[in-house]
Amino acid sequence: MIPVKIACERLKDSGELFLELGRFGNISVEIYGPKEVDLQNPHEQDEIYVIISGFGKFLCEGQIRDFEPGDLIFVPARAEHRFVSFSDDFRTWVIFVGG
């Protein structure tokens, strides 16, 4: 188990936008905190986001939806997606499944 506070501190200390926190079989768990623009490209694995903090809008395959803390977002493998608008405090768990 990694508490949210510790995961956020590790991300900040890393100086990166995302940080892998663990692998469990074919599952990878990361924390992600983009700055101003989300430059993601489609991934080869299914992806699950669980919003930790912040709010904004998420684009997936042409549809835009609002998000807020506690929301869960599923993105199928190879789907075009990104966070298109988000607050400065936005952080999310990212769970990759498969591949």
Side-chain angles (χ1 to χ4, degrees), residues 38-59:
D38 179 8
L39 300 174
Q40 291 190 77
N41 290 310
H43 309 286
E44 291 300 314
Q45 306 93 351
D46 289 338
E47 206 172 350
I48 299 168
Y49 295 100
V50 181
I51 308 302
I52 296 169
S53 62
F55 57 90
K57 297 186 181 301
F58 183 74
L59 170 69

Side-chain angles (χ1 to χ4, degrees), residues 19-37:
L19 182 66
E20 184 177 75
L21 300 169
R23 284 191 172 270
F24 313 91
N26 69 345
I27 298 172
S28 171
V29 178
E30 299 181 359
I31 187 168
Y32 181 49
K35 304 292 182 201
E36 297 181 22
V37 177

Side-chain angles (χ1 to χ4, degrees), residues 40-47 60-61 74-81 96-99:
Q40 291 190 77
N41 290 310
H43 309 286
E44 291 300 314
Q45 306 93 351
D46 289 338
E47 206 172 350
C60 186
E61 297 185 312
F74 174 77
V75 179
R78 296 173 291 288
E80 190 72 38
H81 67 284
F96 287 104
V97 181

Side-chain angles (χ1 to χ4, degrees), residues 2-24 27-34 40 47 49 52 90-96:
I2 299 174
V4 169
K5 182 178 178 179
I6 292 173
C8 288
E9 287 172 1
R10 286 185 186 175
L11 178 64
K12 182 180 177 184
D13 291 347
S14 77
E16 301 293 333
L17 300 179
F18 67 91
L19 182 66
E20 184 177 75
L21 300 169
R23 284 191 172 270
F24 313 91
I27 298 172
S28 171
V29 178
E30 299 181 359
I31 187 168
Y32 181 49
Q40 291 190 77
E47 206 172 350
Y49 295 100
I52 296 169
F90 169 57
R91 301 291 179 275
T92 186
W93 294 112
V94 184
I95 303 160
F96 287 104

